[in-house]
Amino acid sequence: MQVLKFGGSSVAHSDAIKRICSLLEKKPKEKYAIVVSALENITDQLIQCGKLASERKNIYKNILEEIEIRHLNIIRELFPITYQSHLISWIKKNINDLESLCDGIFQVEELSKRSLDKIMSFGELSSSFLIAEKLKQFGLDAICKDSRDIIITDSQFGCAQVDFITSNHHIIQYFHENTSEYIVLPGFIGSTLENETTTLGRGGSDYTASILAAAISASLLEIWTDVSGMMTANPKIVNQAFPIKEISYEEAMELSHFGAKVIYPPTIHPAMKKHIPIQIKNTFSPIDPGTLIYINKNTNISQPVTGISGIQNMALLTLEGSGMIGIPGYSKRLFEALSREKISVIFITQSSSEHSITTGIHETDIIKAKTVINSEFSQEIHQIRIDPLRIEKDLCIIAVVGDNMKNLHGTSGKMFSALGRNRINVRAIAQGSTEKNISAVIRKTDFKKALNTLHEAFFESPPKQINLFICGVGKVGSKLMEQIDQQQNYLLEELKLQVRVIGLANSKKMYFNDHGIDLSDWEENLNQKGIHMNIYSFMEKVWKFNLRNSLFVDNTASEEMAMTYEKFLKNGIGVITCNKIACSSDYDHYKKLKTLSRHFKAPFLFETNVGASLPVISTLNDLINSGDKINKIEAVLSGSLNFIFNHFLGTKSFLEVVKKAQLKGYTEPDPRIDLSGLDVMRKILILARECGCSLELSDIHQKSFLPETCLNSSSIEDFYQKLHKYRDYFFKIRNKAEKYKKRLRFIARYENGIASVGLESVLQIHPFFQLEGKDNMVLYNTSRYAEQPLIIKGAGAGAEVTASGVFSDIIKATK
């Protein structure tokens, strides 16, 4: 014999009832006990009805009318007219009984748990009655049996305890005597020996089915609901969650205890005692395999974790004090005090010194817990042997569950490493003695992030999801967006990376989409749907999203933006930037950013600060990390200046060439930064610092080729006017170099702790002589590269190559 239980949401309307009947028709010939939950959200309406009656509000009659109309509509849709009369009479009679009960509550102005149990029983009774009648109408041998006749409980109304000895006797006797193929029973309800209606508490309908299955030693317990089995995580929070095909009783209990609502812990116990398999199936997708819960699941040695679950809205209670050390009985008194108030303890951990005991409870029980515990230990608190109860709120628990965790080392390390990388702070830890569950208490705001992080760590082979927040969508930023869009498929297929742009901002507007911004029309979304840009509002949005694997990308030249990096890194968010200001600011700030990056395990990458997409910094770091010593660095680090001096030919004036370089996007928005040498000074400063030298920008020796009046120009236009005024001066510099068959190069040098920049003339034998266009070149003279320097050469300016450098850093950061 099998027991089938159909869930409340599965029996939501007449179409669902037809579907259930259709499923039963396809079952093999066997005797079935069918346990039914209430239709739709009728239980909630019934509870509301009772509460309204106790509050002297006649509105409860309106609710009863709604319930009656709903049932009458279902009857008219499900059954032919000739079949409806006695069904309508039955419903109306029960509605009248309900109304009489509510009238009584209205008169005494009090809703007792006993009365509420009786009110709530109507939903289960009416649902099972209608399904049994529909089965009969289909021609199936069906009967409806009131569960209150065979499931006997104590008088703890609201969550009654089952008298298994008496109940099992009644159940076995009834099923032995009854020969019907389909016996339909309402779930959730029972009765006392005095025939008072009781309810079995949360998940009571599933529990009813399990009680029946155990009593009659059923071959299988099927629970039909609206999901395709137990999932690896809550699918409403973790999109990548998938059904678990097989799971042990213990794993199912652990997951259900920590929030997996598909099945509740009490349901599993009766079936587990008799080794009865439990199959969870989807009423709306019956072909899905669902989840099978039984004693001997097929064990996958390589997969230690079966599922991840969690409970939100909990609090930690900590009882501590030096007076607890070595004194027995504190734990007993603590848990007895909580038990007296019927406060459920979710989580327990104790320090090895016995100095403190920490327990987790639901936030709704905080006031009761505080009162009863402080009362229980009032004498010890008064004598300062222990401290008053400490309460921490706004917390949640996440639990990693798996039978095989004890057989594979490194599970806890993997769990806490994944949480740590995403800056999810663990407040408390507990591991069961069976080693099948590791629980951690974290901030409630990190709940979604933690579940997704752990699911990715334990279940998802790539792709790894990367979430970007990008500021600056000018020439470099727009090219970056274009490159990310073009490479989406490649990144997914080859590198197993899913790169999503969540936030986007320019100087005026910012736009966010938690599902990822469509990169094909990001400009339209930013301009039309974007809100006013404020860097602090932008950061608040990033904190609020609280997404795993988040990166902040700065494509601006803004000093205000550069000063935000510290906040991002402290929040565990990596920073990718082509903005040189932060790394060339005062040395202490630069060093602090590097330290924060290491401390919070948040990448801080700025390759494009020096050579656009050229691997200048990464090569330098590789040399140093592998033990090489940097003796000297010589470099042409300004693609814009190199372009300018390479094109300053013939009759073209210096001003014409500068404007051309700016038009092509090779210079900074303010070309004075390039021509003054400030940009190159910042670059050689960064390289010197990466070599371990604590230089400041003011320490760099600069030999400017610009006249003083040009350097002191008040605006870009004023600067251009002065360049025109000094056209002969620039021709003279060029002609002098050409006379000796030399070329002009703006060179940066670092050697023996000294850095300098300046315009020089180089001979044909020098590597810099052959530099064309906007190319950069860096010469690393090291202990290993003493005779011939290591040369890095390539395009050092331009939006496209700079964007590609930023993109490359994004990919590096994912590793």
Side-chain angles (χ1 to χ4, degrees):
M1 183 173 181
Q2 290 188 18
V3 177
L4 282 64
K5 184 266 174 179
F6 289 96
S9 55
S10 298
V11 210
H13 43 68
S14 53
D15 286 342
I17 294 177
K18 291 176 187 175
R19 188 177 289 108
I20 291 168
C21 294
S22 175
L23 284 171
L24 293 171
E25 279 187 300
K26 295 172 184 176
K27 286 286 181 184
K29 286 293 180 180
E30 190 177 347
K31 194 171 184 179
Y32 293 97
I34 300 161
V35 178
V36 181
S37 294
L39 283 162
E40 277 185 17
N41 59 344
I42 190 173
T43 302
D44 293 336
Q45 283 190 303
L46 290 165
I47 292 171
Q48 186 185 16
C49 190
K51 288 180 177 178
L52 289 170
S54 68
E55 293 170 4
R56 297 183 60 85
K57 293 180 181 177
N58 230 18
I59 306 173
Y60 68 85
K61 292 191 176 180
N62 296 334
I63 297 176
L64 290 174
E65 285 178 13
E66 286 181 24
I67 293 171
E68 181 177 357
I69 290 168
R70 183 190 303 172
H71 281 79
L72 294 178
N73 288 338
I74 290 172
I75 289 169
R76 293 184 181 111
E77 188 176 342
L78 279 177
F79 300 95
I81 294 176
T82 54
Y83 210 93
Q84 293 177 9
S85 179
H86 79 284
L87 301 179
I88 292 173
S89 297
W90 189 92
I91 293 294
K92 284 183 175 290
K93 177 185 177 302
N94 280 273
I95 292 288
N96 289 337
D97 291 345
L98 257 181
E99 187 170 357
S100 298
L101 180 58
C102 289
D103 285 340
I105 294 167
F106 179 82
Q107 294 300 324
V108 299
E109 301 180 23
E110 182 182 348
L111 175 63
S112 67
K113 289 184 177 180
R114 176 182 302 189
S115 298
L116 186 58
D117 275 2
K118 195 158 188 178
I119 290 172
M120 286 194 293
S121 70
F122 174 81
E124 260 63 25
L125 289 165
S126 63
S127 300
S128 54
F129 172 73
L130 289 175
I131 287 179
E133 292 299 317
K134 185 61 183 176
L135 290 174
K136 290 178 188 177
Q137 200 248 322
F138 265 86
L140 300 174
D141 180 16
I143 188 172
C144 184
K145 175 63 177 174
D146 192 334
S147 300
R148 294 175 294 184
D149 296 337
I150 57 175
I151 295 182
I152 308 304
T153 72
D154 63 11
S155 57
Q156 188 177 318
F157 299 100
C159 190
Q161 300 299 306
V162 176
D163 178 348
F164 281 97
I165 295 174
T166 306
S167 298
N168 287 345
H169 173 74
H170 288 342
I171 293 166
I172 293 167
Q173 184 177 7
Y174 174 77
F175 278 91
H176 178 73
E177 295 173 353
N178 192 281
T179 58
S180 300
E181 291 180 1
Y182 298 94
I183 302 168
V184 184
L185 305 101
F188 182 56
I189 61 174
S191 71
T192 65
L193 287 171
E194 293 76 29
N195 292 322
E196 292 282 357
T197 299
T198 57
T199 57
L200 304 182
R202 190 178 181 190
S205 292
D206 291 356
Y207 190 29
T208 301
S210 187
I211 293 166
L212 293 172
I216 62 179
S217 298
S219 60
L220 179 67
L221 167 59
E222 288 185 8
I223 296 178
W224 289 82
T225 181
D226 57 355
V227 293
S228 296
M230 296 190 78
M231 309 288 280
T232 50
N234 185 341
K236 293 180 180 177
I237 298 174
V238 180
N239 293 332
Q240 291 78 19
F242 55 88
I244 303 168
K245 290 184 179 180
E246 296 178 358
I247 188 171
S248 70
Y249 294 117
E250 290 84 358
E251 288 172 324
M253 279 194 291
E254 291 283 358
L255 286 174
S256 59
H257 174 74
F258 284 100
K261 297 179 181 178
V262 177
I263 193 167
Y264 294 97
T267 302
I268 301 169
H269 284 283
M272 183 174 69
K273 287 179 71 176
K274 288 287 190 79
H275 293 180
I276 299 168
I278 303 172
Q279 182 89 51
I280 301 173
K281 298 280 285 181
N282 190 337
T283 311
F284 300 101
S285 185
I287 62 171
D288 290 352
T291 297
L292 183 63
I293 306 171
Y294 65 127
I295 195 164
N296 292 318
K297 70 164 191 172
N298 293 325
T299 303
N300 181 357
I301 297 298
S302 64
Q303 181 56 57
V305 175
T306 301
I308 301 164
S309 192
I311 302 172
Q312 298 192 71
N313 304 316
M314 66 154 291
L316 281 184
L317 311 178
T318 300
L319 189 70
E320 64 181 342
S322 57
M324 294 171 61
I325 300 174
I327 308 297
Y330 276 98
S331 298
K332 178 176 180 289
R333 290 170 61 192
L334 172 65
F335 294 118
E336 280 183 347
L338 293 172
S339 177
R340 285 197 301 271
E341 293 298 315
K342 295 182 172 55
I343 297 170
S344 177
V345 175
I346 308 167
F347 177 97
I348 305 169
T349 186
Q350 183 172 11
S351 66
S352 58
S353 66
E354 302 179 20
H355 178 261
S356 67
I357 306 170
T358 298
T359 61
I361 64 169
H362 290 285
E363 278 192 347
T364 51
D365 293 326
I366 286 177
I367 296 175
K368 284 196 300 181
K370 182 179 180 181
T371 303
V372 71
I373 293 172
N374 282 338
S375 173
E376 174 68 29
F377 297 98
S378 58
Q379 184 175 347
E380 289 88 344
I381 293 170
H382 178 70
Q383 295 171 349
I384 319 179
R385 284 190 284 160
I386 64 173
D387 301 328
L389 185 70
R390 189 172 79 245
I391 299 172
E392 296 172 75
K393 297 187 288 185
D394 297 322
L395 300 171
C396 64
I397 291 180
I398 48 170
V400 171
V401 174
D403 279 345
N404 204 37
M405 281 166 36
K406 62 184 177 182
N407 298 322
L408 283 174
H409 65 274
T411 304
S412 58
K414 189 174 183 179
M415 174 182 178
F416 296 115
S417 176
L419 295 174
R421 280 197 308 272
N422 284 277
R423 203 172 176 269
I424 299 169
N425 186 50
V426 176
R427 173 61 189 84
I429 302 167
Q431 183 167 9
S433 57
T434 60
E435 299 183 55
K436 295 179 180 180
N437 165 27
I438 304 172
S439 306
V441 178
I442 61 173
R443 292 180 304 174
K444 187 164 63 176
T445 52
D446 286 330
F447 185 70
K448 179 179 179 182
K449 183 180 182 181
L451 282 183
N452 279 277
T453 295
L454 293 178
H455 196 274
E456 182 179 83
F458 286 108
F459 292 108
E460 299 170 31
S461 55
K464 180 180 182 180
Q465 190 180 92
I466 308 300
N467 299 296
L468 303 182
F469 297 87
I470 300 176
C471 278
V473 287
K475 291 178 180 178
V476 173
S478 59
K479 285 292 181 183
L480 176 63
M481 299 291 283
E482 183 182 313
Q483 290 171 11
I484 294 173
D485 191 25
Q486 288 174 351
Q487 289 296 101
Q488 290 275 23
N489 291 335
Y490 175 85
L491 293 174
L492 200 59
E493 293 172 12
E494 300 298 326
L495 301 183
K496 308 303 179 186
L497 294 175
Q498 182 191 19
V499 179
R500 306 189 309 166
V501 179
I502 304 298
L504 202 58
N506 57 23
S507 59
K508 296 179 180 178
K509 290 188 175 184
M510 57 184 183
Y511 171 67
F512 298 88
N513 187 323
D514 58 351
H515 298 296
I517 295 169
D518 185 351
L519 300 187
S520 63
D521 61 352
W522 64 267
E523 288 180 276
E524 184 180 345
N525 282 321
L526 179 61
N527 293 328
Q528 295 186 6
K529 299 179 183 178
I531 58 175
H532 175 69
M533 170 57 180
N534 177 283
I535 185 56
Y536 300 103
S537 301
F538 186 91
M539 287 191 291
E540 283 177 11
K541 290 285 285 185
V542 177
W543 310 158
K544 189 175 180 180
F545 277 114
N546 199 19
L547 296 172
R548 68 194 189 282
N549 305 325
S550 290
L551 297 172
F552 171 65
V553 181
D554 180 15
N555 298 316
T556 73
S558 163
E559 182 175 359
E560 182 185 27
M561 201 69 70
M563 294 302 108
T564 65
Y565 299 169
E566 182 179 335
K567 292 184 175 65
F568 282 104
L569 294 171
K570 282 182 177 179
N571 279 275
I573 295 171
V575 175
I576 312 297
T577 180
C578 59
N579 185 340
K580 291 178 276 291
I581 293 174
C583 288
S584 60
S585 61
D586 64 86
Y587 180 78
D588 288 342
H589 183 248
Y590 156 82
K591 200 66 179 173
K592 185 176 184 180
L593 294 178
K594 301 276 282 190
T595 302
L596 289 173
S597 173
R598 287 193 299 272
H599 181 74
F600 292 104
K601 295 180 173 60
F604 176 42
L605 299 176
F606 44 90
E607 183 69 78
T608 49
N609 277 198
V610 175
S613 64
L614 294 178
V616 176
I617 295 176
S618 57
T619 301
L620 176 61
N621 289 332
D622 288 343
L623 290 170
I624 295 170
N625 293 338
S626 64
D628 203 354
K629 181 184 177 183
I630 308 299
N631 296 322
K632 184 169 67 172
I633 300 174
E634 287 185 289
V636 171
L637 294 173
S638 175
S640 54
L641 284 176
N642 202 44
F643 176 88
I644 289 168
F645 288 117
N646 276 331
H647 288 79
F648 184 29
L649 303 169
T651 59
K652 286 183 180 177
S653 70
F654 191 69
L655 174 60
E656 288 179 273
V657 180
V658 170
K659 285 188 172 181
K660 184 178 180 181
Q662 187 187 33
L663 186 65
K664 286 182 171 289
Y666 296 156
T667 70
E668 297 286 343
D670 184 348
R672 290 176 293 179
I673 296 173
D674 297 280
L675 292 165
S676 66
L678 177 60
D679 185 60
V680 177
M681 289 171 68
R682 286 172 173 166
K683 290 178 178 180
I684 195 63
L685 175 67
I686 292 168
L687 291 181
R689 286 176 172 179
E690 290 294 291
C691 288
C693 186
S694 55
L695 285 177
E696 299 288 357
L697 193 63
S698 58
D699 295 328
I700 297 173
H701 301 281
Q702 181 194 21
K703 182 182 177 183
S704 177
F705 66 91
L706 288 177
E708 191 70 26
T709 54
C710 292
L711 289 171
N712 296 329
S713 54
S714 59
S715 65
I716 296 174
E717 188 57 40
D718 181 40
F719 178 65
Y720 283 155
Q721 288 177 5
K722 287 174 179 174
L723 289 185
H724 177 72
K725 178 181 177 182
Y726 283 92
R727 59 179 289 149
D728 291 341
Y729 166 81
F730 294 112
F731 277 129
K732 189 181 291 186
I733 293 174
R734 188 195 69 186
N735 292 339
K736 183 179 179 181
E738 289 177 348
K739 179 181 178 181
Y740 296 101
K741 296 182 179 180
K742 294 181 178 181
R743 287 187 176 176
L744 295 172
R745 297 288 181 256
F746 197 84
I747 299 173
R749 283 191 174 84
Y750 170 72
E751 187 175 8
N752 298 324
I754 298 171
S756 63
V757 299
L759 186 64
E760 299 181 28
S761 300
V762 296
L763 291 167
Q764 193 170 359
I765 58 172
H766 198 288
F768 293 158
F769 187 90
Q770 300 298 335
L771 275 177
E772 301 294 335
K774 59 182 184 300
D775 283 358
N776 280 4
M777 182 181 286
V778 180
L779 310 180
Y780 287 130
N781 186 288
T782 73
S783 297
R784 294 174 188 159
Y785 293 90
E787 294 181 8
Q788 292 293 330
L790 174 63
I791 299 176
I792 300 170
K793 176 186 174 184
E800 191 164 4
V801 292
T802 303
S804 70
V806 173
F807 197 2
S808 177
D809 272 354
I810 290 171
I811 295 169
K812 286 177 191 172
T814 65
K815 301 173 183 178

